[in-house]
Amino acid sequence: MARGRFILLEGCDRAGKSTQCAMLVAALKEKGHSVELCKFPDRTTTIGQMIHAYLTNAKELDDRAIHLLFSANRWEAMQSMKRKLKGGTHLVVDRYAYSGVAFSTAKGLDLTWCKNPDKGLVRPDLTFFLDLPTTEAEKRGGFGEERYENRELQERVREVFLQLKGKEWVMIDARETVQSMHHRILKEAEENIRVGELDGRFAE
Ligand code: TMP
Ligand code: MG
């Protein structure tokens, strides 16, 4: 059986990642795939609750301490994610280590230091970057509710994201309509799944 694909959606706040993740999961399910949604930060765990308290300004934490908590929140999901991928389930993931590095570096931490704790995490097979100018993000509902949602930081975050961008990233203009973004993302994801199935067959 072919391994499941790890499909990641990244981007700044309010770019529409969660909407697109939900639509992608639903569309792939409809086409008969085994697929699950993962979201980082996962606020349901003990570590996730500490992160939530920090993001909602209920708790203060040192910049490095919160960075490590975000990373630990990914590590605590690793065994289960690996098991699912091995079992042939595709994972659609809403934010991951790129967010971890982009936000903490934008706050002023050293880039290499920020990358280190995530070394060894399972890697995405396909990464979409939903790109939205900060001036557009600000106009969207809910912007400003959480700690990092301010223009200066978001602009720096976007710059670091673009610095981290790899050749394999698929850039999505998040000013497009929800449907047109969805069509593009679904098409690329299905193509990636097809390639994965072929690879799996050759490997046997
Ligand atoms: P969310 O809005 O997708 O739930 O993410 C909450 C905030 O946490 C968002 O501003 C991005 C930030 N973040 C980090 O700073 N580091 C991380 O590792 C992750 C996953 C998110
Ligand atoms: Mg948010």
Side-chain angles (χ1 to χ4, degrees), residues 144-179:
E145 275 168 12
E146 289 203 332
R147 191 183 282 261
Y148 294 152
E149 293 179 331
N150 66 77
R151 184 192 289 200
E152 298 73 34
L153 183 67
Q154 293 284 330
E155 290 199 333
R156 282 201 299 278
V157 168
R158 183 167 176 239
E159 279 166 26
V160 186
F161 266 131
L162 295 176
Q163 212 177 307
L164 296 172
K165 175 180 166 220
K167 280 196 299 291
E168 70 289 3
W169 282 28
V170 178
M171 302 301 282
I172 301 288
D173 185 343
R175 291 168 301 186
E176 283 179 25
T177 66
V178 169
Q179 275 305 333

PDB file of all heavy atoms in Angstrom, residues 144-179:
ATOM      1  N   GLY A 144      -6.611  40.714  14.661  1.00  0.00           N
ATOM      2  CA  GLY A 144      -6.299  41.509  15.851  1.00  0.00           C
ATOM      3  C   GLY A 144      -6.738  40.846  17.140  1.00  0.00           C
ATOM      4  O   GLY A 144      -6.417  41.311  18.227  1.00  0.00           O
ATOM      5  N   GLU A 145      -7.476  39.729  17.009  1.00  0.00           N
ATOM      6  CA  GLU A 145      -7.959  39.053  18.220  1.00  0.00           C
ATOM      7  C   GLU A 145      -6.830  38.408  19.020  1.00  0.00           C
ATOM      8  O   GLU A 145      -6.882  38.377  20.239  1.00  0.00           O
ATOM      9  CB  GLU A 145      -8.978  37.962  17.845  1.00  0.00           C
ATOM     10  CG  GLU A 145     -10.386  38.506  17.690  1.00  0.00           C
ATOM     11  CD  GLU A 145     -11.335  37.494  17.050  1.00  0.00           C
ATOM     12  OE1 GLU A 145     -10.977  36.309  16.935  1.00  0.00           O
ATOM     13  OE2 GLU A 145     -12.436  37.920  16.658  1.00  0.00           O
ATOM     14  N   GLU A 146      -5.834  37.859  18.297  1.00  0.00           N
ATOM     15  CA  GLU A 146      -4.769  37.151  19.004  1.00  0.00           C
ATOM     16  C   GLU A 146      -3.440  37.887  18.937  1.00  0.00           C
ATOM     17  O   GLU A 146      -3.231  38.801  18.151  1.00  0.00           O
ATOM     18  CB  GLU A 146      -4.642  35.716  18.460  1.00  0.00           C
ATOM     19  CG  GLU A 146      -5.826  34.874  18.881  1.00  0.00           C
ATOM     20  CD  GLU A 146      -5.563  33.385  18.893  1.00  0.00           C
ATOM     21  OE1 GLU A 146      -4.720  32.914  18.124  1.00  0.00           O
ATOM     22  OE2 GLU A 146      -6.211  32.693  19.711  1.00  0.00           O
ATOM     23  N   ARG A 147      -2.529  37.435  19.793  1.00  0.00           N
ATOM     24  CA  ARG A 147      -1.264  38.116  20.057  1.00  0.00           C
ATOM     25  C   ARG A 147      -0.488  38.560  18.822  1.00  0.00           C
ATOM     26  O   ARG A 147       0.003  39.673  18.786  1.00  0.00           O
ATOM     27  CB  ARG A 147      -0.379  37.202  20.919  1.00  0.00           C
ATOM     28  CG  ARG A 147       0.841  37.888  21.480  1.00  0.00           C
ATOM     29  CD  ARG A 147       1.696  36.909  22.251  1.00  0.00           C
ATOM     30  NE  ARG A 147       1.168  36.626  23.559  1.00  0.00           N
ATOM     31  CZ  ARG A 147       1.599  37.208  24.699  1.00  0.00           C
ATOM     32  NH1 ARG A 147       2.545  38.115  24.659  1.00  0.00           N
ATOM     33  NH2 ARG A 147       1.081  36.867  25.852  1.00  0.00           N
ATOM     34  N   TYR A 148      -0.369  37.703  17.815  1.00  0.00           N
ATOM     35  CA  TYR A 148       0.508  38.038  16.688  1.00  0.00           C
ATOM     36  C   TYR A 148      -0.189  38.811  15.571  1.00  0.00           C
ATOM     37  O   TYR A 148       0.434  39.089  14.550  1.00  0.00           O
ATOM     38  CB  TYR A 148       1.114  36.759  16.103  1.00  0.00           C
ATOM     39  CG  TYR A 148       2.067  36.032  17.029  1.00  0.00           C
ATOM     40  CD1 TYR A 148       2.240  34.654  16.927  1.00  0.00           C
ATOM     41  CD2 TYR A 148       2.813  36.726  17.979  1.00  0.00           C
ATOM     42  CE1 TYR A 148       3.121  33.979  17.760  1.00  0.00           C
ATOM     43  CE2 TYR A 148       3.689  36.053  18.817  1.00  0.00           C
ATOM     44  CZ  TYR A 148       3.833  34.688  18.706  1.00  0.00           C
ATOM     45  OH  TYR A 148       4.715  34.018  19.522  1.00  0.00           O
ATOM     46  N   GLU A 149      -1.463  39.124  15.764  1.00  0.00           N
ATOM     47  CA  GLU A 149      -2.200  39.740  14.662  1.00  0.00           C
ATOM     48  C   GLU A 149      -2.088  41.266  14.658  1.00  0.00           C
ATOM     49  O   GLU A 149      -3.029  41.976  14.975  1.00  0.00           O
ATOM     50  CB  GLU A 149      -3.666  39.273  14.703  1.00  0.00           C
ATOM     51  CG  GLU A 149      -3.751  37.781  14.387  1.00  0.00           C
ATOM     52  CD  GLU A 149      -5.155  37.216  14.421  1.00  0.00           C
ATOM     53  OE1 GLU A 149      -5.999  37.741  15.165  1.00  0.00           O
ATOM     54  OE2 GLU A 149      -5.399  36.260  13.687  1.00  0.00           O
ATOM     55  N   ASN A 150      -0.884  41.724  14.315  1.00  0.00           N
ATOM     56  CA  ASN A 150      -0.696  43.155  14.100  1.00  0.00           C
ATOM     57  C   ASN A 150       0.163  43.333  12.863  1.00  0.00           C
ATOM     58  O   ASN A 150       0.943  42.451  12.494  1.00  0.00           O
ATOM     59  CB  ASN A 150      -0.084  43.826  15.329  1.00  0.00           C
ATOM     60  CG  ASN A 150       1.330  43.342  15.574  1.00  0.00           C
ATOM     61  OD1 ASN A 150       2.273  43.754  14.894  1.00  0.00           O
ATOM     62  ND2 ASN A 150       1.492  42.445  16.532  1.00  0.00           N
ATOM     63  N   ARG A 151      -0.030  44.472  12.194  1.00  0.00           N
ATOM     64  CA  ARG A 151       0.560  44.676  10.882  1.00  0.00           C
ATOM     65  C   ARG A 151       2.085  44.495  10.842  1.00  0.00           C
ATOM     66  O   ARG A 151       2.603  43.786   9.984  1.00  0.00           O
ATOM     67  CB  ARG A 151       0.196  46.048  10.333  1.00  0.00           C
ATOM     68  CG  ARG A 151       0.722  46.234   8.917  1.00  0.00           C
ATOM     69  CD  ARG A 151       0.657  47.643   8.438  1.00  0.00           C
ATOM     70  NE  ARG A 151      -0.742  48.029   8.209  1.00  0.00           N
ATOM     71  CZ  ARG A 151      -1.087  49.040   7.434  1.00  0.00           C
ATOM     72  NH1 ARG A 151      -0.166  49.749   6.821  1.00  0.00           N
ATOM     73  NH2 ARG A 151      -2.353  49.347   7.275  1.00  0.00           N
ATOM     74  N   GLU A 152       2.796  45.122  11.770  1.00  0.00           N
ATOM     75  CA  GLU A 152       4.269  45.105  11.708  1.00  0.00           C
ATOM     76  C   GLU A 152       4.802  43.676  11.771  1.00  0.00           C
ATOM     77  O   GLU A 152       5.637  43.279  10.971  1.00  0.00           O
ATOM     78  CB  GLU A 152       4.892  45.919  12.865  1.00  0.00           C
ATOM     79  CG  GLU A 152       4.532  47.394  12.878  1.00  0.00           C
ATOM     80  CD  GLU A 152       3.090  47.651  13.323  1.00  0.00           C
ATOM     81  OE1 GLU A 152       2.586  46.890  14.182  1.00  0.00           O
ATOM     82  OE2 GLU A 152       2.442  48.594  12.802  1.00  0.00           O
ATOM     83  N   LEU A 153       4.284  42.910  12.738  1.00  0.00           N
ATOM     84  CA  LEU A 153       4.771  41.540  12.888  1.00  0.00           C
ATOM     85  C   LEU A 153       4.390  40.694  11.664  1.00  0.00           C
ATOM     86  O   LEU A 153       5.210  39.966  11.115  1.00  0.00           O
ATOM     87  CB  LEU A 153       4.231  40.891  14.171  1.00  0.00           C
ATOM     88  CG  LEU A 153       4.766  39.477  14.396  1.00  0.00           C
ATOM     89  CD1 LEU A 153       6.266  39.497  14.692  1.00  0.00           C
ATOM     90  CD2 LEU A 153       4.036  38.758  15.523  1.00  0.00           C
ATOM     91  N   GLN A 154       3.138  40.811  11.216  1.00  0.00           N
ATOM     92  CA  GLN A 154       2.678  39.993  10.077  1.00  0.00           C
ATOM     93  C   GLN A 154       3.520  40.270   8.826  1.00  0.00           C
ATOM     94  O   GLN A 154       3.778  39.369   8.037  1.00  0.00           O
ATOM     95  CB  GLN A 154       1.197  40.259   9.785  1.00  0.00           C
ATOM     96  CG  GLN A 154       0.259  39.783  10.889  1.00  0.00           C
ATOM     97  CD  GLN A 154       0.050  38.268  10.913  1.00  0.00           C
ATOM     98  OE1 GLN A 154       0.105  37.595   9.892  1.00  0.00           O
ATOM     99  NE2 GLN A 154      -0.182  37.735  12.105  1.00  0.00           N
ATOM    100  N   GLU A 155       3.932  41.531   8.651  1.00  0.00           N
ATOM    101  CA  GLU A 155       4.750  41.840   7.467  1.00  0.00           C
ATOM    102  C   GLU A 155       6.108  41.179   7.567  1.00  0.00           C
ATOM    103  O   GLU A 155       6.612  40.644   6.580  1.00  0.00           O
ATOM    104  CB  GLU A 155       4.868  43.353   7.285  1.00  0.00           C
ATOM    105  CG  GLU A 155       3.518  43.878   6.852  1.00  0.00           C
ATOM    106  CD  GLU A 155       3.529  45.240   6.207  1.00  0.00           C
ATOM    107  OE1 GLU A 155       4.441  46.035   6.498  1.00  0.00           O
ATOM    108  OE2 GLU A 155       2.593  45.483   5.421  1.00  0.00           O
ATOM    109  N   ARG A 156       6.670  41.184   8.775  1.00  0.00           N
ATOM    110  CA  ARG A 156       7.971  40.519   8.950  1.00  0.00           C
ATOM    111  C   ARG A 156       7.811  39.004   8.776  1.00  0.00           C
ATOM    112  O   ARG A 156       8.642  38.352   8.174  1.00  0.00           O
ATOM    113  CB  ARG A 156       8.559  40.842  10.328  1.00  0.00           C
ATOM    114  CG  ARG A 156       9.179  42.225  10.396  1.00  0.00           C
ATOM    115  CD  ARG A 156      10.180  42.337  11.541  1.00  0.00           C
ATOM    116  NE  ARG A 156       9.564  42.119  12.835  1.00  0.00           N
ATOM    117  CZ  ARG A 156       8.888  43.051  13.519  1.00  0.00           C
ATOM    118  NH1 ARG A 156       8.769  44.267  13.019  1.00  0.00           N
ATOM    119  NH2 ARG A 156       8.358  42.782  14.683  1.00  0.00           N
ATOM    120  N   VAL A 157       6.704  38.455   9.308  1.00  0.00           N
ATOM    121  CA  VAL A 157       6.436  37.008   9.184  1.00  0.00           C
ATOM    122  C   VAL A 157       6.381  36.637   7.701  1.00  0.00           C
ATOM    123  O   VAL A 157       6.993  35.656   7.269  1.00  0.00           O
ATOM    124  CB  VAL A 157       5.103  36.635   9.873  1.00  0.00           C
ATOM    125  CG1 VAL A 157       4.677  35.223   9.506  1.00  0.00           C
ATOM    126  CG2 VAL A 157       5.231  36.762  11.392  1.00  0.00           C
ATOM    127  N   ARG A 158       5.670  37.444   6.925  1.00  0.00           N
ATOM    128  CA  ARG A 158       5.535  37.152   5.493  1.00  0.00           C
ATOM    129  C   ARG A 158       6.916  37.164   4.826  1.00  0.00           C
ATOM    130  O   ARG A 158       7.220  36.306   3.988  1.00  0.00           O
ATOM    131  CB  ARG A 158       4.605  38.175   4.856  1.00  0.00           C
ATOM    132  CG  ARG A 158       4.338  37.904   3.391  1.00  0.00           C
ATOM    133  CD  ARG A 158       3.182  38.743   2.885  1.00  0.00           C
ATOM    134  NE  ARG A 158       2.946  38.576   1.468  1.00  0.00           N
ATOM    135  CZ  ARG A 158       2.998  39.578   0.585  1.00  0.00           C
ATOM    136  NH1 ARG A 158       3.276  40.803   0.984  1.00  0.00           N
ATOM    137  NH2 ARG A 158       2.753  39.350  -0.696  1.00  0.00           N
ATOM    138  N   GLU A 159       7.760  38.122   5.205  1.00  0.00           N
ATOM    139  CA  GLU A 159       9.109  38.178   4.631  1.00  0.00           C
ATOM    140  C   GLU A 159       9.910  36.923   4.966  1.00  0.00           C
ATOM    141  O   GLU A 159      10.593  36.379   4.110  1.00  0.00           O
ATOM    142  CB  GLU A 159       9.866  39.407   5.150  1.00  0.00           C
ATOM    143  CG  GLU A 159       9.502  40.668   4.399  1.00  0.00           C
ATOM    144  CD  GLU A 159       9.985  41.923   5.122  1.00  0.00           C
ATOM    145  OE1 GLU A 159      10.967  41.831   5.889  1.00  0.00           O
ATOM    146  OE2 GLU A 159       9.359  42.981   4.919  1.00  0.00           O
ATOM    147  N   VAL A 160       9.821  36.462   6.218  1.00  0.00           N
ATOM    148  CA  VAL A 160      10.580  35.255   6.589  1.00  0.00           C
ATOM    149  C   VAL A 160      10.027  34.042   5.826  1.00  0.00           C
ATOM    150  O   VAL A 160      10.784  33.221   5.319  1.00  0.00           O
ATOM    151  CB  VAL A 160      10.579  34.973   8.107  1.00  0.00           C
ATOM    152  CG1 VAL A 160      11.493  33.800   8.435  1.00  0.00           C
ATOM    153  CG2 VAL A 160      10.991  36.191   8.912  1.00  0.00           C
ATOM    154  N   PHE A 161       8.694  33.943   5.739  1.00  0.00           N
ATOM    155  CA  PHE A 161       8.091  32.844   4.968  1.00  0.00           C
ATOM    156  C   PHE A 161       8.684  32.823   3.556  1.00  0.00           C
ATOM    157  O   PHE A 161       9.075  31.770   3.056  1.00  0.00           O
ATOM    158  CB  PHE A 161       6.577  33.036   4.847  1.00  0.00           C
ATOM    159  CG  PHE A 161       5.755  32.340   5.897  1.00  0.00           C
ATOM    160  CD1 PHE A 161       4.756  33.024   6.595  1.00  0.00           C
ATOM    161  CD2 PHE A 161       5.925  30.987   6.172  1.00  0.00           C
ATOM    162  CE1 PHE A 161       3.963  32.390   7.543  1.00  0.00           C
ATOM    163  CE2 PHE A 161       5.130  30.334   7.117  1.00  0.00           C
ATOM    164  CZ  PHE A 161       4.152  31.042   7.808  1.00  0.00           C
ATOM    165  N   LEU A 162       8.741  33.987   2.919  1.00  0.00           N
ATOM    166  CA  LEU A 162       9.215  34.046   1.529  1.00  0.00           C
ATOM    167  C   LEU A 162      10.694  33.687   1.443  1.00  0.00           C
ATOM    168  O   LEU A 162      11.143  33.124   0.455  1.00  0.00           O
ATOM    169  CB  LEU A 162       8.904  35.408   0.910  1.00  0.00           C
ATOM    170  CG  LEU A 162       7.391  35.689   0.773  1.00  0.00           C
ATOM    171  CD1 LEU A 162       7.135  37.093   0.243  1.00  0.00           C
ATOM    172  CD2 LEU A 162       6.690  34.647  -0.111  1.00  0.00           C
ATOM    173  N   GLN A 163      11.420  33.959   2.534  1.00  0.00           N
ATOM    174  CA  GLN A 163      12.829  33.571   2.616  1.00  0.00           C
ATOM    175  C   GLN A 163      12.955  32.041   2.756  1.00  0.00           C
ATOM    176  O   GLN A 163      13.895  31.438   2.270  1.00  0.00           O
ATOM    177  CB  GLN A 163      13.391  34.227   3.875  1.00  0.00           C
ATOM    178  CG  GLN A 163      14.828  34.636   3.852  1.00  0.00           C
ATOM    179  CD  GLN A 163      15.146  35.335   5.183  1.00  0.00           C
ATOM    180  OE1 GLN A 163      14.463  36.290   5.589  1.00  0.00           O
ATOM    181  NE2 GLN A 163      16.149  34.844   5.878  1.00  0.00           N
ATOM    182  N   LEU A 164      12.005  31.420   3.444  1.00  0.00           N
ATOM    183  CA  LEU A 164      12.050  29.972   3.693  1.00  0.00           C
ATOM    184  C   LEU A 164      11.557  29.167   2.493  1.00  0.00           C
ATOM    185  O   LEU A 164      11.793  27.972   2.401  1.00  0.00           O
ATOM    186  CB  LEU A 164      11.160  29.611   4.893  1.00  0.00           C
ATOM    187  CG  LEU A 164      11.533  30.178   6.262  1.00  0.00           C
ATOM    188  CD1 LEU A 164      10.434  29.865   7.277  1.00  0.00           C
ATOM    189  CD2 LEU A 164      12.866  29.595   6.733  1.00  0.00           C
ATOM    190  N   LYS A 165      10.837  29.846   1.604  1.00  0.00           N
ATOM    191  CA  LYS A 165      10.174  29.213   0.466  1.00  0.00           C
ATOM    192  C   LYS A 165      11.114  28.300  -0.312  1.00  0.00           C
ATOM    193  O   LYS A 165      12.184  28.715  -0.733  1.00  0.00           O
ATOM    194  CB  LYS A 165       9.662  30.337  -0.438  1.00  0.00           C
ATOM    195  CG  LYS A 165       9.057  29.923  -1.723  1.00  0.00           C
ATOM    196  CD  LYS A 165       8.605  31.166  -2.487  1.00  0.00           C
ATOM    197  CE  LYS A 165       8.311  30.785  -3.907  1.00  0.00           C
ATOM    198  NZ  LYS A 165       8.765  31.794  -4.872  1.00  0.00           N
ATOM    199  N   GLY A 166      10.681  27.059  -0.489  1.00  0.00           N
ATOM    200  CA  GLY A 166      11.479  26.112  -1.263  1.00  0.00           C
ATOM    201  C   GLY A 166      10.947  26.003  -2.688  1.00  0.00           C
ATOM    202  O   GLY A 166       9.847  26.477  -2.977  1.00  0.00           O
ATOM    203  N   LYS A 167      11.734  25.369  -3.556  1.00  0.00           N
ATOM    204  CA  LYS A 167      11.344  25.203  -4.967  1.00  0.00           C
ATOM    205  C   LYS A 167      10.021  24.461  -5.097  1.00  0.00           C
ATOM    206  O   LYS A 167       9.270  24.653  -6.033  1.00  0.00           O
ATOM    207  CB  LYS A 167      12.420  24.399  -5.706  1.00  0.00           C
ATOM    208  CG  LYS A 167      13.629  25.199  -6.108  1.00  0.00           C
ATOM    209  CD  LYS A 167      14.476  24.463  -7.151  1.00  0.00           C
ATOM    210  CE  LYS A 167      15.032  23.125  -6.675  1.00  0.00           C
ATOM    211  NZ  LYS A 167      16.075  23.239  -5.633  1.00  0.00           N
ATOM    212  N   GLU A 168       9.772  23.571  -4.116  1.00  0.00           N
ATOM    213  CA  GLU A 168       8.610  22.694  -4.208  1.00  0.00           C
ATOM    214  C   GLU A 168       7.315  23.371  -3.698  1.00  0.00           C
ATOM    215  O   GLU A 168       6.248  22.791  -3.761  1.00  0.00           O
ATOM    216  CB  GLU A 168       8.876  21.392  -3.447  1.00  0.00           C
ATOM    217  CG  GLU A 168       8.936  21.489  -1.928  1.00  0.00           C
ATOM    218  CD  GLU A 168      10.168  22.195  -1.352  1.00  0.00           C
ATOM    219  OE1 GLU A 168      11.008  22.690  -2.128  1.00  0.00           O
ATOM    220  OE2 GLU A 168      10.275  22.281  -0.114  1.00  0.00           O
ATOM    221  N   TRP A 169       7.416  24.592  -3.208  1.00  0.00           N
ATOM    222  CA  TRP A 169       6.218  25.264  -2.709  1.00  0.00           C
ATOM    223  C   TRP A 169       5.288  25.656  -3.856  1.00  0.00           C
ATOM    224  O   TRP A 169       5.752  26.083  -4.914  1.00  0.00           O
ATOM    225  CB  TRP A 169       6.576  26.551  -1.953  1.00  0.00           C
ATOM    226  CG  TRP A 169       7.070  26.341  -0.567  1.00  0.00           C
ATOM    227  CD1 TRP A 169       7.717  25.233  -0.081  1.00  0.00           C
ATOM    228  CD2 TRP A 169       7.003  27.275   0.515  1.00  0.00           C
ATOM    229  NE1 TRP A 169       8.041  25.433   1.247  1.00  0.00           N
ATOM    230  CE2 TRP A 169       7.612  26.672   1.630  1.00  0.00           C
ATOM    231  CE3 TRP A 169       6.483  28.562   0.654  1.00  0.00           C
ATOM    232  CZ2 TRP A 169       7.720  27.317   2.865  1.00  0.00           C
ATOM    233  CZ3 TRP A 169       6.593  29.208   1.875  1.00  0.00           C
ATOM    234  CH2 TRP A 169       7.197  28.580   2.969  1.00  0.00           C
ATOM    235  N   VAL A 170       4.003  25.537  -3.612  1.00  0.00           N
ATOM    236  CA  VAL A 170       3.003  26.005  -4.568  1.00  0.00           C
ATOM    237  C   VAL A 170       2.413  27.298  -4.005  1.00  0.00           C
ATOM    238  O   VAL A 170       1.844  27.301  -2.909  1.00  0.00           O
ATOM    239  CB  VAL A 170       1.896  24.951  -4.780  1.00  0.00           C
ATOM    240  CG1 VAL A 170       0.843  25.469  -5.746  1.00  0.00           C
ATOM    241  CG2 VAL A 170       2.489  23.632  -5.263  1.00  0.00           C
ATOM    242  N   MET A 171       2.619  28.394  -4.722  1.00  0.00           N
ATOM    243  CA  MET A 171       2.144  29.691  -4.246  1.00  0.00           C
ATOM    244  C   MET A 171       0.692  29.908  -4.682  1.00  0.00           C
ATOM    245  O   MET A 171       0.351  29.732  -5.843  1.00  0.00           O
ATOM    246  CB  MET A 171       3.025  30.807  -4.803  1.00  0.00           C
ATOM    247  CG  MET A 171       4.499  30.685  -4.438  1.00  0.00           C
ATOM    248  SD  MET A 171       4.821  30.684  -2.655  1.00  0.00           S
ATOM    249  CE  MET A 171       4.657  32.443  -2.319  1.00  0.00           C
ATOM    250  N   ILE A 172      -0.128  30.286  -3.717  1.00  0.00           N
ATOM    251  CA  ILE A 172      -1.550  30.522  -3.986  1.00  0.00           C
ATOM    252  C   ILE A 172      -1.856  31.975  -3.618  1.00  0.00           C
ATOM    253  O   ILE A 172      -1.567  32.415  -2.499  1.00  0.00           O
ATOM    254  CB  ILE A 172      -2.432  29.578  -3.115  1.00  0.00           C
ATOM    255  CG1 ILE A 172      -2.122  28.100  -3.371  1.00  0.00           C
ATOM    256  CG2 ILE A 172      -3.915  29.888  -3.302  1.00  0.00           C
ATOM    257  CD1 ILE A 172      -2.600  27.537  -4.693  1.00  0.00           C
ATOM    258  N   ASP A 173      -2.425  32.703  -4.548  1.00  0.00           N
ATOM    259  CA  ASP A 173      -2.815  34.087  -4.280  1.00  0.00           C
ATOM    260  C   ASP A 173      -4.114  34.064  -3.476  1.00  0.00           C
ATOM    261  O   ASP A 173      -5.176  33.719  -3.994  1.00  0.00           O
ATOM    262  CB  ASP A 173      -2.997  34.821  -5.618  1.00  0.00           C
ATOM    263  CG  ASP A 173      -3.292  36.301  -5.412  1.00  0.00           C
ATOM    264  OD1 ASP A 173      -3.664  36.696  -4.277  1.00  0.00           O
ATOM    265  OD2 ASP A 173      -3.154  37.054  -6.394  1.00  0.00           O
ATOM    266  N   ALA A 174      -4.002  34.430  -2.198  1.00  0.00           N
ATOM    267  CA  ALA A 174      -5.150  34.303  -1.289  1.00  0.00           C
ATOM    268  C   ALA A 174      -6.181  35.421  -1.466  1.00  0.00           C
ATOM    269  O   ALA A 174      -7.161  35.487  -0.730  1.00  0.00           O
ATOM    270  CB  ALA A 174      -4.663  34.227   0.155  1.00  0.00           C
ATOM    271  N   ARG A 175      -5.965  36.292  -2.473  1.00  0.00           N
ATOM    272  CA  ARG A 175      -6.997  37.292  -2.789  1.00  0.00           C
ATOM    273  C   ARG A 175      -8.030  36.703  -3.746  1.00  0.00           C
ATOM    274  O   ARG A 175      -9.070  37.289  -3.989  1.00  0.00           O
ATOM    275  CB  ARG A 175      -6.369  38.547  -3.413  1.00  0.00           C
ATOM    276  CG  ARG A 175      -5.518  39.351  -2.438  1.00  0.00           C
ATOM    277  CD  ARG A 175      -4.702  40.391  -3.141  1.00  0.00           C
ATOM    278  NE  ARG A 175      -3.819  39.759  -4.134  1.00  0.00           N
ATOM    279  CZ  ARG A 175      -2.906  40.401  -4.832  1.00  0.00           C
ATOM    280  NH1 ARG A 175      -2.729  41.683  -4.672  1.00  0.00           N
ATOM    281  NH2 ARG A 175      -2.144  39.763  -5.705  1.00  0.00           N
ATOM    282  N   GLU A 176      -7.695  35.538  -4.317  1.00  0.00           N
ATOM    283  CA  GLU A 176      -8.648  34.873  -5.223  1.00  0.00           C
ATOM    284  C   GLU A 176      -9.870  34.388  -4.449  1.00  0.00           C
ATOM    285  O   GLU A 176      -9.856  34.333  -3.231  1.00  0.00           O
ATOM    286  CB  GLU A 176      -7.966  33.660  -5.876  1.00  0.00           C
ATOM    287  CG  GLU A 176      -7.021  34.029  -6.988  1.00  0.00           C
ATOM    288  CD  GLU A 176      -6.364  32.783  -7.574  1.00  0.00           C
ATOM    289  OE1 GLU A 176      -6.955  31.685  -7.475  1.00  0.00           O
ATOM    290  OE2 GLU A 176      -5.262  32.926  -8.101  1.00  0.00           O
ATOM    291  N   THR A 177     -10.920  33.975  -5.177  1.00  0.00           N
ATOM    292  CA  THR A 177     -12.119  33.489  -4.487  1.00  0.00           C
ATOM    293  C   THR A 177     -11.810  32.143  -3.824  1.00  0.00           C
ATOM    294  O   THR A 177     -10.894  31.421  -4.232  1.00  0.00           O
ATOM    295  CB  THR A 177     -13.290  33.276  -5.468  1.00  0.00           C
ATOM    296  OG1 THR A 177     -12.942  32.207  -6.348  1.00  0.00           O
ATOM    297  CG2 THR A 177     -13.600  34.549  -6.254  1.00  0.00           C
ATOM    298  N   VAL A 178     -12.609  31.838  -2.808  1.00  0.00           N
ATOM    299  CA  VAL A 178     -12.468  30.582  -2.070  1.00  0.00           C
ATOM    300  C   VAL A 178     -12.519  29.399  -3.048  1.00  0.00           C
ATOM    301  O   VAL A 178     -11.706  28.476  -2.975  1.00  0.00           O
ATOM    302  CB  VAL A 178     -13.590  30.482  -1.009  1.00  0.00           C
ATOM    303  CG1 VAL A 178     -13.655  29.089  -0.400  1.00  0.00           C
ATOM    304  CG2 VAL A 178     -13.374  31.521   0.087  1.00  0.00           C
ATOM    305  N   GLN A 179     -13.464  29.443  -3.986  1.00  0.00           N
ATOM    306  CA  GLN A 179     -13.628  28.333  -4.930  1.00  0.00           C
ATOM    307  C   GLN A 179     -12.438  28.191  -5.870  1.00  0.00           C
ATOM    308  O   GLN A 179     -11.996  27.082  -6.128  1.00  0.00           O
ATOM    309  CB  GLN A 179     -14.923  28.517  -5.763  1.00  0.00           C
ATOM    310  CG  GLN A 179     -16.175  27.993  -5.082  1.00  0.00           C
ATOM    311  CD  GLN A 179     -16.074  26.511  -4.659  1.00  0.00           C
ATOM    312  OE1 GLN A 179     -15.334  25.717  -5.251  1.00  0.00           O
ATOM    313  NE2 GLN A 179     -16.806  26.154  -3.615  1.00  0.00           N
TER     314      GLN A 179
END
